[in-house]
Amino acid sequence: MMSLNRADALRRKLEEEHGFNTEQANGTLMVVDEMVETGFDRMLKEIVSLRSDMSKDIESLRTELGKDIESLRSDMDGRFKAYQQLLTVMLALFPFASAFLTVGLLVALASIFGDSPSPVIWRI
């Protein structure tokens, strides 16, 4: 009971000294409260809308990125297959090239250090 008397006394003091109208203040507070409440509702709706837009954008970016990665992967697979074929051909030709090089080297050594008499081309 004591607090009601103090509140009433404070209300009367505010009305007398400052011309404070409690009914107007109460109405103003109710309007402000309603505005804040609707503002929060609008803000929550905007957040939900932005979140759904962001999730759509993220999904589209993931889809595009996935397509780009797949095309890059297939391009790289093609290049690796080409290199593999080239190495296979090189490995198949290497023994033949080595044999020809060896024969050529032996012929060169034989012609340089060989005992055979050199053919005389200009015999008269």
Side-chain angles (χ1 to χ4, degrees):
M1 195 59 140
M2 180 97 147
S3 63
L4 287 176
N5 289 336
R6 288 183 104 191
D8 192 43
L10 180 62
R11 183 186 54 81
R12 270 188 269 129
K13 182 179 177 184
L14 286 171
E15 283 178 356
E16 291 171 2
E17 291 180 8
H18 303 290
F20 186 76
N21 188 349
T22 56
E23 291 161 359
Q24 274 183 336
N26 193 16
T28 304
L29 287 176
M30 287 173 63
V31 169
V32 168
D33 187 39
E34 187 176 326
M35 288 172 62
V36 168
E37 205 170 293
T38 58
F40 281 138
D41 289 342
R42 281 186 288 160
M43 186 174 63
L44 288 174
K45 287 178 185 175
E46 278 296 315
I47 289 172
V48 168
S49 171
L50 287 173
R51 190 177 286 169
S52 67
D53 290 345
M54 283 176 50
S55 66
K56 289 177 187 174
D57 291 342
I58 288 171
E59 286 301 318
S60 68
L61 286 174
R62 282 184 181 162
T63 304
E64 287 179 28
L65 185 62
K67 289 177 184 175
D68 290 344
I69 288 175
E70 285 301 317
S71 93
L72 182 64
R73 184 176 291 150
S74 67
D75 186 41
M76 288 176 61
D77 285 344
R79 288 183 184 183
F80 282 132
K81 286 179 183 176
Y83 287 133
Q84 184 178 11
Q85 288 173 353
L86 180 65
L87 288 174
T88 304
V89 168
M90 287 172 62
L91 287 174
L93 294 179
F94 183 74
F96 298 110
S98 176
F100 284 127
L101 182 65
T102 305
V103 168
L105 197 62
L106 289 174
V107 167
L109 287 173
S111 69
I112 293 172
F113 300 111
D115 291 323
S116 66
S118 62
V120 176
I121 299 176
W122 293 299
R123 280 193 192 181
I124 304 184

